[in-house]
């Protein structure tokens, strides 16, 4: 046998020969109708993929030093209590912390006390926009070689709330001031793009990628126009991505995002990679038979890792109906620890590279998303399309299509629309209201509303309890 490869002595089989063999075995059944299926993105999936599918195709390679982090999200109601919880989570396996900051009362000295900022990346989720809070944070971390992601995202606040934090002019002025404070500080990133809202609202993967790219391009355009020195060679950015249950497609989605980002920044003369923070989707999570949510989040975290996520934050099995639950958080964190330490997902993050199916999906998703991105830019850009309601309408159309598939059981959520446990009771366990509640208010655009597939069915079951 040849030393060059295990299968060198076997004759090559072309894609055409494989297809002929399959058609023969189908005994007259139509190949296209029997074995091909079409995704929500309009991608036709074949029963097999061949090296010929990657001819003349570019393939994405992750950086050699890719090492994903297990992150824990903590709501900061009290700085000292949040710090105590963060230190405990770090002892129990967390490698990064995401602090959600609801107001200006946070004390960063108390919040970050005893945390090894040089080796523990810290992400912030500010629910307000205020430059003094950022100054206080930077003053405390100055000289500590801290790894800080501020994750400021004006546009996501607009899409969720329908309004700016203050107004368009003031928000962008504050963003410029914050960026000027942080752009020269090594280890601190300012901007993020939250694409999870598009996924949780029902956008398909092509839309998620295109909207995320157009969303990011608004920031690139702004800083390029605001000052010539603001964007020079580097523009650190974090993409927050929600990962759902279509396993191989989600791997390809994250890989396509990195590919698209590299294509975009080339036009600006920028060279840095993006940081991807992944979290399981809420859209397919259920109130009934909630333990199945652990199976869903496990496979979704696996997709995120293989897709190249840099930070993975798990979702607790009871996140949609419970407030902070130490047991649920420990289980969610242990899911990631088992993947990393017991299943060796710290060593196989590049396993998807070169696989015919995933590389083909990656290319198709990237190409379709790039085409949609160009359409958005030719129509005036992402903010213009939001103002006209085009983005909202397209997401609703995609969500309705997916909802119909769920209603007809073509999309299955075990324990909810199939294989229900009729003895299951949840009414007395609800600490959080698990359904969309829309409060009428004046907005400058129509907000994008996140909605789970199972909501209508669950509301009916609760009413019957």
């Amino acid at each position: 046998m040849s030393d060059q490869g295990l299968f060198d002595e076997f004759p090559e089989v072309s894609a055409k020969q494989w297809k002929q063999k399959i058609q023969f075995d189908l005994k007259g059944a139509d190949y296209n109708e029997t074995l091909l299926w079409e995704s929500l993105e309009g991608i036709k999936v074949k029963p097999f993929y061949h090296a010929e599918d990657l001819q003349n195709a570019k393939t994405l390679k992750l950086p050699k030093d890719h090492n994903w982090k297990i992150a824990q999200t903590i709501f900061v109601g009290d700085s000292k209590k949040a710090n105590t919880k963060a230190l405990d989570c770090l002892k129990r396996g967390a490698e990064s912390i995401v602090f959600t900051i609801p107001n200006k009362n946070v004390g960063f000295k108390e919040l970050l006390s005893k945390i090894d900022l040089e080796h523990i990346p810290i992400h912030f989720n500010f629910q307000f926009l205020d430059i003094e809070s950022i100054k206080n944070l930077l003053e405390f971390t100055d000289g500590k070689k801290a790894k800080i992601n501020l994750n400021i995202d004006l546009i996501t606040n607009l899409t969720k709330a329908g309004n700016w934090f203050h107004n368009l002019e003031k928000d962008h002025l504050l963003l410029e001031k914050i960026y000027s404070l942080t752009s020269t500080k090594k280890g601190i990133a300012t901007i993020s793009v939250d694409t999870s809202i598009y996924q949780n609202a029902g956008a398909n993967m092509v839309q998620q990628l295109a909207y995320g790219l157009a969303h990011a391009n608004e920031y690139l355009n702004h800083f390029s126009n605001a000052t010539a020195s603001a964007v020079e060679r580097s523009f650190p950015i974090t993409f927050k991505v929600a990962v759902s249950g279509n396993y191989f497609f989600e791997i390809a989605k994250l890989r396509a995002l990195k590919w698209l980002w590299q294509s975009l920044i080339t036009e600006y003369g920028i060279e840095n990679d993006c940081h991807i923070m992944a979290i399981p989707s809420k859209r397919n999570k259920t109130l009934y038979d909630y333990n199945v949510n652990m199976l869903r989040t496990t496979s979704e975290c696996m997709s995120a890792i293989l897709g190249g996520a840099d930070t993975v934050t798990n979702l607790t099995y009871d996140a949609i109906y419970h407030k902070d639950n130490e047991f649920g958080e420990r289980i969610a964190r242990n899911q990631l620890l088992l993947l990393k330490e017991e299943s060796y997902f710290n060593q196989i993050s590049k396993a998807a590279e070169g696989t015919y199916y995933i590389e083909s999906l990656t290319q198709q998703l990237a190409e379709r998303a790039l085409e949609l991105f160009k359409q958005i830019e030719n129509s005036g850009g992402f903010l213009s399309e939001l103002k006209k309601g085009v983005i909202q309408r397209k997401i609703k159309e995609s969500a309705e299509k997916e909802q119909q598939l769920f209603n007809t059981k073509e999309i299955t959520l075990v324990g909810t629309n199939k294989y229900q446990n009729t003895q299951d009771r949840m009414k007395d366990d609800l600490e959080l209201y698990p359904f969309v509640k829309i409060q009428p208010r004046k907005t400058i655009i129509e907000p994008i509303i996140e909605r789970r597939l199972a909501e209508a069915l669950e509301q009916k079951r609760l009413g019957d309890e």
Side-chain angles (χ1 to χ4, degrees):
M1 183 175 286
S2 170
D3 293 333
Q4 294 181 353
L6 182 62
F7 300 104
D8 285 355
E9 293 188 1
F10 294 90
E12 290 188 8
V13 181
S14 68
K16 183 178 179 180
Q17 288 173 302
W18 277 116
K19 187 173 180 180
Q20 288 173 341
K21 173 60 177 172
I22 291 170
Q23 286 178 321
F24 175 79
D25 290 342
L26 286 173
K27 301 183 187 306
D30 185 86
Y31 174 88
N32 293 329
E33 291 183 4
T34 306
L35 297 179
L36 267 62
W37 62 273
E38 187 172 307
S39 73
L40 290 167
E41 295 75 24
I43 294 175
K44 289 187 177 180
V45 180
K46 302 185 297 183
F48 75 97
Y49 285 79
H50 192 274
E52 294 175 15
D53 291 295
L54 299 186
Q55 286 181 353
N56 302 318
K58 292 175 62 179
T59 57
L60 174 72
K61 292 187 177 181
L62 295 175
K64 291 182 179 180
D65 59 348
H66 181 255
N67 181 32
W68 59 281
K69 300 288 187 182
I70 298 172
Q72 179 74 50
T73 299
I74 298 174
F75 182 84
V76 184
D78 178 276
S79 298
K80 289 184 178 179
K81 289 181 179 178
N83 173 260
T84 300
K85 183 174 181 178
L87 293 173
D88 181 64
C89 290
L90 291 170
K91 288 179 182 177
R92 293 169 178 257
E95 301 166 316
S96 179
I97 301 294
V98 183
F99 286 118
T100 298
I101 312 295
N103 53 54
K104 304 175 187 178
N105 298 328
V106 62
F108 290 107
K109 183 177 181 180
E110 294 82 5
L111 181 64
L112 301 175
S113 176
K114 299 180 181 179
I115 296 178
D116 183 0
L117 298 178
E118 185 174 347
H119 298 100
I120 305 297
I122 304 295
H123 294 259
F124 288 95
N125 174 24
F126 290 97
Q127 297 182 337
F128 58 95
L129 185 63
D130 174 63
I131 195 168
E132 293 305 317
S133 296
I134 303 299
K135 285 181 177 178
N136 292 337
L137 171 61
L138 296 178
E139 182 180 345
F140 175 76
T141 58
D142 189 40
K144 291 183 169 62
K145 297 182 180 180
K147 299 177 181 179
I148 302 290
N149 284 270
L150 299 179
N151 293 313
I152 295 175
D153 188 0
L154 311 179
I155 297 174
T156 288
N157 183 74
L158 175 67
T159 60
K160 287 183 176 180
N163 292 307
W164 299 100
F165 285 107
H166 305 285
N167 56 59
L168 186 151
E169 292 78 15
K170 185 174 181 180
D171 279 15
H172 282 80
L173 179 61
L174 288 172
L175 181 62
E176 288 174 22
K177 290 181 177 179
I178 292 170
Y179 191 83
S180 67
L181 289 173
T182 60
S183 59
T184 58
K185 295 184 181 294
K186 189 175 181 180
I188 297 183
T190 304
I191 307 296
S192 79
V193 169
D194 189 350
T195 69
S196 67
I197 185 172
Y198 310 130
Q199 197 285 330
N200 284 316
N204 63 47
M205 293 186 197
V206 169
Q207 290 172 328
Q208 294 167 46
L209 290 167
Y211 297 161
L213 198 65
H215 185 151
N217 197 44
E218 291 288 343
Y219 293 124
L220 286 167
N221 271 329
H222 177 79
F223 283 105
S224 295
N225 294 329
T227 169
S229 61
V231 180
E232 289 184 355
R233 308 287 291 175
S234 177
F235 191 76
I237 193 168
T238 297
F239 282 93
K240 297 181 182 178
V241 181
V243 180
S244 194
N246 196 340
Y247 187 75
F248 293 107
F249 269 71
E250 290 291 351
I251 295 172
K253 182 180 80 176
L254 267 65
R255 293 169 63 79
L257 176 57
K258 285 182 174 285
W259 193 350
L260 289 165
W261 171 249
Q262 289 297 330
S263 299
L264 178 61
I265 60 174
T266 299
E267 300 299 318
Y268 289 89
I270 300 170
E271 297 179 353
N272 63 283
D273 196 5
C274 61
H275 184 102
I276 294 181
M277 176 185 287
I279 186 169
S281 168
K282 292 180 181 177
R283 186 160 172 79
N284 64 345
K285 301 306 177 288
T286 57
L287 180 61
Y288 290 92
D289 213 348
Y290 50 76
N291 286 321
V292 180
N293 289 333
M294 284 189 281
L295 301 177
R296 296 177 183 130
T297 55
T298 299
S299 68
E300 289 158 4
C301 288
M302 289 165 65
S303 291
I305 296 162
L306 294 174
D310 302 285
T311 301
V312 182
T313 306
N314 201 4
L315 194 70
T316 62
Y317 69 90
D318 57 351
I320 62 174
Y321 68 92
H322 268 167
K323 296 179 182 179
D324 286 352
N325 176 8
E326 196 277 335
F327 176 77
E329 290 176 354
R330 180 162 59 89
I331 293 295
R333 191 169 54 248
N334 285 348
Q335 287 174 258
L336 293 175
L337 284 168
L338 284 168
L339 286 176
K340 192 165 195 176
E341 304 298 340
E342 301 291 338
S343 303
Y344 301 101
F345 268 67
N346 60 331
Q347 299 176 20
I348 63 165
S349 60
K350 296 184 181 182
E353 287 184 11
T355 56
Y356 302 151
Y357 179 37
I358 294 174
E359 293 288 8
S360 177
L361 290 179
T362 300
Q363 181 160 341
Q364 290 183 75
L365 287 172
E367 288 175 348
R368 289 167 184 253
L370 187 59
E371 182 179 348
L372 179 54
F373 167 75
K374 290 177 180 178
Q375 292 175 12
I376 294 169
E377 293 303 305
N378 290 334
S379 298
F382 190 67
L383 288 177
S384 174
E385 293 290 89
L386 274 177
K387 186 176 180 181
K388 291 184 286 189
V390 174
I391 303 295
Q392 296 91 321
R393 176 170 54 82
K394 292 294 185 181
I395 291 177
K396 283 182 181 178
E397 290 173 358
S398 175
E400 288 169 2
K401 183 177 179 181
E402 187 181 21
Q403 187 69 53
Q404 183 61 29
L405 292 174
F406 172 81
N407 294 343
T408 58
K409 300 182 181 181
E410 292 181 62
I411 291 177
T412 300
L413 293 183
V414 173
T416 300
N417 66 343
K418 282 187 180 180
Y419 315 113
Q420 293 180 1
N421 176 5
T422 56
Q423 304 304 313
D424 204 357
R425 296 289 182 269
M426 291 300 298
K427 183 178 289 186
D428 296 333
D429 292 328
L430 305 184
E431 295 177 0
L432 299 172
Y433 187 68
F435 312 114
V436 172
K437 184 185 292 185
I438 300 176
Q439 298 178 342
R441 63 186 186 277
K442 186 176 181 180
T443 60
I444 59 175
I445 68 163
E446 178 188 353
I448 295 174
I449 306 297
E450 299 180 349
R451 192 184 301 272
R452 293 182 301 109
L453 287 169
E455 288 192 20
L457 195 57
E458 290 172 348
Q459 284 178 304
K460 184 179 184 304
R461 286 186 67 177
L462 280 173
D464 294 337
E465 286 187 17

